[in-house]
Amino acid sequence: MLAIYLLTKTRLTRRQYSKRVIEDMKERHMSRERMQWLEMDILDLQFEDESFDLVIDKGMTTTITFDDGS
């Protein structure tokens, strides 16, 4: 996700369930003005319809890019 942020001029909104992770990420990425971290349950998202042009699930990117050696 960081690569997308660095290679584009887009805003990046990250949703995370863990408040501890959010606090850590906000601190690590303090200088990245277009990066936003939100504490939110995936089963109760608080976004309006059509809020995003693209949504990427990190679990899916890990699955797609995982090289199992075969």
Side-chain angles (χ1 to χ4, degrees):
M1 297 300 152
L2 183 57
I4 292 171
Y5 178 85
L6 294 173
L7 293 171
T8 67
K9 298 201 183 275
T10 190
R11 279 186 319 124
L12 181 64
T13 301
R14 302 286 308 262
R15 188 240 23 112
Q16 175 58 251
Y17 185 73
S18 169
K19 186 174 187 167
R20 183 175 176 192
V21 170
I22 290 173
E23 290 170 359
D24 183 47
M25 290 298 117
K26 282 182 176 179
E27 187 174 320
R28 285 187 194 191
H29 300 287
M30 195 178 304
S31 66
R32 296 184 168 95
E33 297 171 0
R34 298 178 334 260
M35 191 176 287
Q36 178 181 24
W37 291 87
L38 304 173
E39 180 183 358
M40 199 175 298
D41 186 337
I42 192 78
L43 299 176
D44 187 27
L45 297 177
Q46 305 294 316
F47 299 117
E48 293 183 27
D49 290 347
E50 301 184 28
S51 296
F52 299 94
D53 295 325
L54 176 67
V55 176
I56 300 172
D57 173 64
K58 186 190 180 304
M60 179 58 78
T61 61
T62 301
T63 302
I64 291 170
T65 60
F66 180 72
D67 180 6
D68 65 1
S70 53

